[in-house]
Amino acid sequence: MLLGTITISTLGFGQDTLTISKKDIWQKASDKNLQIKIANQEFKSAQADYRQSNALFLPTISASHTAMSTTNPLMAFGSKLNQEILSASDFNPALLNDPDKTNNFATKIEVLQPLINVDGLYGRQAAKFKMEAYQLQTERSKEYLQLEVNKAFMQLQLGYKAVKVLEKANKTADANLKLIENYFKQGILQKTDLLSVQVRVNEIKNQLQYAKSNVQNASDYLAVLLNEDPTNKIYKPLEELENTIVTETINTTLSENRKDIQAMSKSYGAYQKMYVSSKMNFLPRLNAFGSYELYDRTLFGTAAKGYLVGMQLSLNVFDGYKSIGKMEKAKAEFQKSEIEMQQYKAQSQMELNKTNRLLKDAENKVNLSKLALEQSQEAYRIRSNRFTQGLEKTPDLLQSETQTAQKELEFLQAVFEYNFTQQYLQFLTK
């Protein structure tokens, strides 16, 4: 379950702290994220377009009932003929030229069956490629969402860790302030030393407030990914930020099996089929048709019956350059999609190479920042002991204290950057 223990947060006023785990938020994000919902609807739209192409094989069936009253000579004679009620008297020239009002009710069932439509076959294939492209894009969107959720979760972890470090620094600064105030009262230190420590305490409190705001910002962003209302609540990760890294060798060759690369290939195939379809538009089409008709002088009557069946071979000879222009446009879009796919692959490989270099830089940064943290901690310990013995100046102690907190934050930031860069590189290679 995503929502864990509810407590009153120390980071805000009257806010509820909702404990969350990394595993649970991904499941919730995949179900509720708005971007994924949009991607799913785009796929359904493309799927509906493909299903429309079933009309290429399935018949079109329609039914109608028409009621008519006429004194038109031709329509009156034809209506009686359809109703099978013509008599010798109906051939009287006077009645033929000036007939009485004739009522006619016709029920008609029509069937149109496509037989050979080559352009439609290629259009159907294009619709299928388009549908598959959107499906792959949806899957890639889910992979990117997982990356963003992990990043937001790690940012939240980093935010809480920074608050923890600064709260510790704040306690140390307060303790040093009490010590300095005591020394000042004893006349051991000057007023300037006391003021320097007070300034340092205020600086840490200010940094702590900014750190708490960053936690709230990270929590709000996570709420957006989870499609939840962030009002009056804040998330707290169940797991703490890792302070170590695990190095691994990742293949940096761009994979053709990557979902977005496959989607680009499917899109390219769709444009190719549309181009072929536009050329096949110049070929003849063969369709069958038929109808079954019922006629009577009364509503919904069925006194007379008849049917009609046939086949039609049609060819678009010339339509004012419309088909030619459509073919030229399809060709241009097909060639454009080929160029875009080449460009996308080149940019993807460039991003992959860049991220691989960033990962190596991040690893080096982690190692150096860890060493700097250890050195600053040892320096602060030595200066603190010397200060209590009266062998160290106040500014030097303050500088060492500031440097220790700063180096710890830098180390945590370096670990975050390495772990996220590693995940991003994995995202680019799968």
Side-chain angles (χ1 to χ4, degrees):
M1 187 176 180
L2 178 62
L3 303 183
T5 305
I6 300 180
T7 58
I8 301 299
S9 172
T10 58
L11 298 178
F13 299 94
Q15 289 180 311
D16 289 336
T17 299
L18 308 180
T19 304
I20 55 176
S21 69
K22 188 175 183 179
K23 179 181 178 181
D24 292 334
I25 60 171
W26 161 238
Q27 183 59 46
K28 190 162 189 176
S30 62
D31 294 337
K32 298 181 64 178
N33 181 260
L34 295 179
Q35 191 60 43
I36 296 301
K37 289 183 178 181
I38 292 173
N40 285 330
Q41 294 306 313
E42 289 176 341
F43 166 70
K44 289 180 180 179
S45 176
Q47 187 180 52
D49 287 339
Y50 176 64
R51 287 177 176 174
Q52 289 182 41
S53 66
N54 288 336
L56 191 65
F57 308 106
L58 302 178
T60 299
I61 303 174
S62 62
S64 64
H65 185 78
T66 305
M68 181 183 69
S69 179
T70 181
T71 58
N72 180 281
L74 181 61
M75 296 297 295
F77 185 83
S79 296
K80 288 184 178 182
L81 186 63
N82 284 330
Q83 295 171 14
E84 301 176 359
I85 58 173
L86 276 178
S87 62
S89 61
D90 290 317
F91 288 91
N92 184 341
L95 291 178
L96 288 174
N97 291 324
D98 189 17
D100 296 331
K101 182 179 71 172
T102 300
N103 296 325
N104 185 49
F105 297 91
T107 301
K108 188 175 184 180
I109 300 175
E110 291 183 289
V111 178
L112 299 175
Q113 177 62 58
L115 296 178
I116 301 176
N117 294 275
V118 181
D119 60 330
L121 289 173
Y122 282 100
R124 176 179 169 83
Q125 293 175 10
K128 184 178 181 181
F129 274 122
K130 178 183 176 182
M131 178 187 68
E132 292 172 345
Y134 272 108
Q135 184 178 21
L136 289 165
Q137 287 178 358
T138 300
E139 293 175 3
R140 187 61 173 174
S141 296
K142 290 181 179 179
E143 292 177 351
Y144 182 74
L145 172 64
Q146 188 172 16
L147 178 70
E148 278 297 296
V149 168
N150 288 341
K151 179 182 177 181
F153 190 79
M154 289 166 59
Q155 286 176 330
L156 193 61
Q157 289 177 314
L158 179 63
Y160 273 100
K161 198 69 174 180
V163 169
K164 189 174 182 180
V165 170
L166 289 170
E167 284 178 342
K168 179 181 176 182
N170 187 48
K171 289 181 181 179
T172 303
D174 286 340
N176 287 336
L177 178 59
K178 291 181 181 179
L179 181 63
I180 297 300
E181 287 176 341
N182 186 39
Y183 285 165
F184 175 72
K185 291 177 182 178
Q186 296 177 20
I188 300 175
L189 296 177
Q190 298 179 355
K191 180 71 172 179
T192 54
D193 294 324
L194 176 61
L195 292 174
S196 297
V197 176
Q198 290 174 339
V199 169
R200 170 58 184 161
V201 170
N202 291 333
E203 287 178 350
I204 292 179
K205 293 185 183 300
N206 189 45
Q207 292 176 4
L208 181 58
Q209 182 57 46
Y210 272 107
K212 291 180 179 180
S213 295
N214 288 335
V215 168
Q216 184 68 66
N217 293 336
S219 178
D220 290 348
Y221 179 56
L222 191 58
V224 170
L225 294 178
L226 299 178
N227 191 25
E228 292 190 342
D229 184 8
T231 306
N232 295 326
K233 66 182 178 183
I234 192 167
Y235 295 115
K236 183 176 182 179
L238 185 63
E239 307 90 348
E240 288 193 358
L241 181 69
E242 298 177 2
N243 57 3
T244 58
I245 62 173
V246 178
T247 59
E248 61 178 305
T249 303
I250 301 176
N251 182 16
T252 56
T253 302
L254 184 65
S255 174
E256 293 290 335
N257 295 325
R258 214 173 76 177
K259 297 295 190 301
D260 55 338
I261 301 297
Q262 291 184 19
M264 288 289 293
S265 180
K266 291 292 184 180
S267 179
Y268 167 77
Y271 280 111
Q272 183 184 38
K273 296 300 181 182
M274 287 302 298
Y275 173 49
V276 177
S277 175
S278 66
K279 292 195 294 183
M280 296 298 106
N281 189 49
F282 296 97
L283 296 179
R285 301 177 182 86
L286 181 62
N287 300 297
F289 60 89
S291 65
Y292 185 71
E293 303 166 6
L294 304 169
Y295 296 97
D296 206 308
R297 286 176 290 181
T298 60
L299 185 67
F300 300 114
T302 60
K305 306 177 181 64
Y307 71 86
L308 173 69
V309 293
M311 297 178 67
Q312 182 186 54
L313 182 67
S314 60
L315 176 65
N316 187 5
V317 179
F318 182 70
D319 57 3
Y321 214 80
K322 180 180 178 180
S323 295
I324 297 176
K326 183 179 179 181
M327 182 187 67
E328 291 176 345
K329 179 181 178 181
K331 181 180 180 181
E333 290 179 341
F334 163 57
Q335 293 175 339
K336 175 187 174 184
S337 68
E338 183 178 15
I339 297 171
E340 286 177 340
M341 185 169 63
Q342 293 175 353
Q343 181 188 42
Y344 188 79
K345 286 183 178 180
Q347 290 177 340
S348 298
Q349 185 62 60
M350 179 187 69
E351 181 69 13
L352 191 56
N353 296 337
K354 175 185 174 182
T355 305
N356 188 45
R357 288 189 292 268
L358 286 174
L359 184 64
K360 294 178 181 178
D361 294 339
E363 181 181 356
N364 185 58
K365 184 177 180 180
V366 169
N367 294 331
L368 293 177
S369 59
K370 182 180 181 181
L371 179 60
L373 173 60
E374 293 172 350
Q375 292 171 342
S376 62
Q377 287 175 336
E378 179 63 16
Y380 176 71
R381 186 188 66 81
I382 295 173
R383 281 202 170 93
S384 181
N385 291 336
R386 288 171 57 83
F387 180 79
T388 57
Q389 298 171 9
L391 302 176
E392 199 74 37
K393 296 180 180 179
T394 304
D396 294 335
L397 178 66
L398 292 176
Q399 182 181 2
S400 181
E401 176 197 343
T402 302
Q403 187 181 55
T404 301
Q406 179 182 350
K407 293 304 177 183
E408 187 170 0
L409 292 175
E410 289 178 357
F411 172 68
L412 294 173
Q413 180 67 31
V415 171
F416 165 81
E417 290 176 1
Y418 178 86
N419 288 333
F420 174 72
T421 304
Q422 188 180 60
Q423 291 182 11
Y424 184 51
L425 186 61
Q426 292 171 345
F427 169 76
L428 294 177
T429 54
K430 69 179 180 180

